[in-house]
Structure formats: C-alpha cells, structure tokens
Amino acid sequence: MNNQSSNKSRPKGKAALPSSQDRYLTDREVAKRFGVCRQTVWRWVKQSQFPEPLKFSVKVTRWRLSDLIAHEASLSSKSKSIRKTLSPLKAYERDA
C-alpha cells in the first residue's frame, strides 16, 4: 500500500502526535480532567487563562489533548517558581 495515502489526513509541516495525545475532548471531559464544572472551564477561556478550544461547527467545540497537557505543564512550572519565591517567607514565619 502507498504510504502517501495515510499522510493525506495530516496537515503538512505537522509531526504526527502519539495516539494518546491525538484526541479531542468535550467541555465535560475537560472539566472532569481538571476537577471543575463546565462553567469554570468556559470562564477560564473567557479570562484567557486556558487554551482556546477548536470550533468544528456551531454546536461542536473541542480541546486538543496535547494543548491541555502543555497547559498543565506550564501551570506546574509556574507553581514551582512560586513555591521557590515563597519558601524564604515560610521559613521566616516558622522562626517568628
């Protein structure tokens, strides 16, 4: 079989994602993943605190799993840097 036919569905210049990340999630699935309600997910989007969803049609909106994983990683790195800056303060509070 010709290998080119399997590449037609993938946009040019884009690397193939692992199958576990090549998924699209509904707002319900996203809310469950983050432990919040659907309204919170949409509020985060409106406040630009969350990845923008992809709109496939009027009633079909999805988030790319790989975008959510990247967002989670950025949150993790931000919280680590915040903890480092707060550590001296916590030490000071213990001594007081």
Side-chain angles (χ1 to χ4, degrees), residues 6-74:
S6 64
N7 291 334
K8 286 184 179 182
S9 63
R10 190 175 24 190
K12 290 183 180 180
K14 299 281 184 176
L17 293 173
S19 61
S20 63
Q21 292 182 0
D22 198 17
R23 288 195 53 220
Y24 295 95
L25 303 175
T26 65
D27 57 354
R28 289 180 197 277
E29 292 169 319
V30 172
K32 184 176 179 181
R33 181 179 182 89
F34 286 89
V36 296
C37 65
R38 292 171 52 216
Q39 291 82 0
T40 299
V41 172
W42 287 108
R43 183 173 47 251
W44 289 344
V45 170
K46 186 176 180 180
Q47 295 172 347
S48 299
Q49 297 176 345
F50 204 70
E52 286 287 326
L54 303 170
K55 193 156 186 82
F56 291 106
S57 70
V58 175
K59 293 186 178 184
V60 179
T61 304
R62 300 287 187 266
W63 281 264
R64 190 178 293 121
L65 180 57
S66 59
D67 291 346
L68 297 177
I69 291 170
H71 178 69
E72 290 168 347
S74 75

Side-chain angles (χ1 to χ4, degrees), residues 81-96:
S81 66
I82 290 171
R83 277 186 255 141
K84 286 181 183 177
T85 60
L86 293 179
S87 295
L89 179 62
K90 289 182 181 179
Y92 172 77
E93 290 173 347
R94 281 194 306 248
D95 295 338

